[in-house]
Every structure is written in structure tokens, then in C-alpha cells.
Amino acid sequence: SLTGPPNVHSNPNVASFPLMASTCMKLLLFLAPCVTRGITTSVTITPIQKVLQLMSDMVAKGTKEKQDEEVKFTAFSEWCGKTQRMKADEIAAGNEKMDELKAFIDKSVVRIKKLTERIQELEEDVGRWESDQKAATDVRTKEEADYTATLT
């Protein structure tokens, strides 16, 4: 798993390679006359050739490491882009869902208010009907008492 983009400037093999190469070349050119004085012609590989070979190997190694870092960075960059798109889509879907739920809550609040008002109206009607029923019962009780009084 990649944790972040590679920092090319913190890798001494890649970032300081041009500076190291130029410094080595200057040192090589400075020391070349001193080294070649003591060498006989029977040697097939001179120290300068060896240094040049080592420097070309160093260039090849630095180039390979740079390419490896580029591949890793490209993979990480693609992962970041994909993750960013996924998170943006998830956030958009979440915001859409929140809007839907807010609309549902607003509708429910209006419905609750209407139903509460209707319940109060019905409770008033029931209260009025109960008082009407009690009044009618009292009237019938008095009428019954008058009727029984007239019959007896």
C-alpha cells in the first residue's frame, strides 16, 4: 500500500545525482594526470577507465531508480484520482439523500400540524356531543319523571 507521493528530492540517489556526477568528473580530471604517471602500458584497464565505468554504472542505476520512482508515483497518482472520484461521488450521493430526507421531514411536519388540528376539532366535537348527550339524558329523565307522575 502506498502512503503518499514519493519525495524525489529526499532521495540522494536521484536528486543529487547531477551534482555528484559533475563533482566526480571534476575530481577525475584533476587527478588523472597524477594517476597516469605511475601506470605502465601493460595494464589493460586504467584507473580512469575503471572510474568512468563506475560512473556509467552509477548513471544506469540512478536512471533505473528514477524510472522505478516514476512508475510508483504514477500508480499512486492513479489511486489518488480514483479515490478522489469515489469520495466525491459518495459525498454527492450523501448530500442528495440529505436533501430528500429534509424534504420528507418538512412534509411530515406539515402533515403532523394538519392532523393535530383535525384531532383538536374532533375532540371538540366529541366534547360537544357528550355534553349534548348528557343534556338529552337529563331532559329524558325529567320527561320520564313527569310521565310516570302523570300516570300514577
Side-chain angles (χ1 to χ4, degrees), residues 22-124:
S22 67
T23 304
C24 287
M25 288 299 280
K26 288 177 186 176
L27 181 63
L28 179 67
L29 291 175
F30 177 73
L31 294 177
C34 298
V35 173
T36 56
R37 286 187 193 145
I39 297 178
T40 61
T41 58
S42 65
V43 178
T44 57
I45 298 178
T46 65
I48 293 174
Q49 290 173 336
K50 183 65 176 175
V51 169
L52 290 175
Q53 178 63 40
L54 289 172
M55 289 182 68
S56 66
D57 291 346
M58 190 185 301
V59 168
K61 181 180 176 185
T63 304
K64 183 181 180 314
E65 287 178 1
K66 181 180 176 189
Q67 289 172 347
D68 291 345
E69 286 293 322
E70 286 176 353
V71 169
K72 288 178 184 177
F73 180 75
T74 301
F76 180 71
S77 180
E78 289 176 11
W79 177 81
C80 286
K82 182 180 176 183
T83 302
Q84 185 178 11
R85 284 189 301 278
M86 286 176 21
K87 295 300 179 186
D89 292 344
E90 290 173 4
I91 289 171
N95 287 337
E96 185 177 321
K97 185 67 175 177
M98 284 181 8
D99 291 341
E100 289 175 10
L101 292 174
K102 285 179 184 177
F104 177 75
I105 289 170
D106 291 341
K107 283 182 182 179
S108 297
V109 166
V110 169
R111 186 167 184 233
I112 288 171
K113 185 177 178 183
K114 287 181 181 178
L115 291 175
T116 302
E117 290 172 359
R118 181 66 178 146
I119 289 171
Q120 288 175 348
E121 289 173 7
L122 293 175
E123 285 177 347
E124 289 172 4

